[in-house]
């Protein structure tokens, strides 16, 4: 009996979206820039790497313990909220709202909270959830589609960004006039042909 992919498309969409959100959450960037953040706070790189590793491992162990007690959805919700809060901490640390030791606490704390939040939910729970939400008759193919989304994260991200660039191109082509070598009156006439000039 052939599979009805249209019938199963909502669950495949959920799985694909979860893996895309996992990658787009910024975890790779946080890992990549964590050493820089710690270094700017005066923390040696080996201590920084060890701290991130210990927090990551601790979060994974906590997730293992709480997964069956709190449920997958609860851990995912808490994880995404924790990551959002940690990015908020980073944003405040990078602004002019705080200074001195507060910047160090917010930036280093933000990195560690992000890693902990990711490790407690979005990291380990997503893969487990996928294996549970797909019916057995489509599990292999659906997992393949979702994993393709996961591995093509940069492709999707850059495609979205390229799309915005194309929108920008079309917007400028349609709405922006050339101002080089033109007077203000000529520019206004080009932008507002029916408007009455007041010059």
């Amino acid at each position: 009996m052939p599979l009805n992919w249209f019938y199963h498309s909502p669950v495949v969409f959920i799985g694909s979206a979860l893996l895309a959100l996992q990658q787009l959450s910024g975890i790779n960037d946080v890992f990549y820039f964590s050493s820089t953040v710690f270094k700017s706070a005066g923390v040696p790189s080996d201590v920084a790497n060890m701290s991130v590793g210990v927090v990551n491992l601790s979060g994974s162990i906590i997730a293992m313990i709480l997964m069956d007690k709190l449920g997958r959805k609860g851990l995912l919700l808490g994880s995404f909220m924790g990551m959002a809060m940690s990015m908020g901490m980073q944003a405040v640390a990078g602004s002019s709202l705080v200074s001195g030791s507060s910047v160090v606490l917010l930036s280093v704390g933000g990195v560690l909270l992000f890693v902990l939040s990711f490790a407690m939910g979005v990291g380990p729970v997503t893969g487990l959830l996928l294996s549970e939400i797909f019916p057995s008759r489509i599990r292999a193919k659906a997992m393949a589609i979702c994993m393709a989304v996961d591995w093509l994260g940069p492709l999707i991200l850059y495609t979205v960004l390229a799309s915005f660039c194309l929108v920008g191109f079309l917007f400028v082509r349609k709405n922006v006039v050339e101002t080089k070598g033109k007077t203000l009156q000529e520019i206004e006439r080009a932008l507002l042909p029916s408007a009455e000039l007041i010059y």
Side-chain angles (χ1 to χ4, degrees):
M1 180 179 174
L3 293 176
N4 184 348
W5 279 101
F6 181 76
Y7 174 77
H8 292 102
S9 61
V11 74
V12 175
F13 170 76
I14 290 170
S16 299
L18 277 173
L19 281 174
L21 289 168
Q22 181 190 61
Q23 292 303 307
L24 295 174
S25 69
I27 186 61
N28 294 326
D29 299 322
V30 169
F31 276 130
Y32 183 78
F33 288 110
S34 62
S35 296
T36 305
V37 171
F38 279 87
K39 185 177 180 181
S40 66
V43 179
S45 60
D46 55 340
V47 175
N49 293 334
M50 188 175 69
S51 300
V52 170
V54 167
V55 168
N56 193 17
L57 177 63
S58 301
S60 300
I61 292 170
I62 293 169
M64 225 170 34
I65 295 168
L66 296 180
M67 216 174 281
D68 289 327
K69 292 181 180 177
L70 297 180
R72 281 69 159 143
K73 184 175 181 178
L75 282 177
L76 284 174
L77 288 172
S79 182
F80 276 119
M81 184 54 69
M83 290 190 296
M85 288 170 52
S86 69
M87 286 292 108
M89 291 168 65
Q90 292 282 5
V92 171
S95 72
S96 59
L97 298 172
V98 294
S99 60
S101 60
S102 298
V103 173
V104 174
L105 288 173
L106 285 172
S107 58
V108 171
V111 167
L112 294 177
L113 177 61
F114 189 95
V115 172
L116 180 66
S117 299
F118 182 87
M120 286 179 60
V122 175
V125 174
T126 303
L128 174 65
L129 187 66
L130 293 185
S131 66
E132 294 176 340
I133 64 173
F134 295 135
S136 57
R137 60 187 172 278
I138 69 157
R139 184 170 293 130
K141 290 180 180 177
M143 288 290 286
I145 291 169
C146 292
M147 289 301 159
V149 169
D150 189 35
W151 282 105
L152 295 177
L155 173 62
I156 293 170
L157 174 62
Y158 293 136
T159 301
V160 169
L161 296 176
S163 300
F164 279 113
C165 291
L166 286 174
V167 169
F169 170 82
L170 294 172
F171 177 83
V172 169
R173 184 174 177 183
K174 180 176 171 68
N175 298 298
V176 178
V177 298
E178 180 56 66
T179 59
K180 179 184 175 185
K182 294 189 177 175
T183 66
L184 292 175
Q185 292 85 357
E186 289 172 329
I187 295 168
E188 184 172 347
R189 222 176 276 120
L191 287 170
L192 306 165
S194 61
E196 184 179 333
L197 296 178
I198 59 173
Y199 299 104

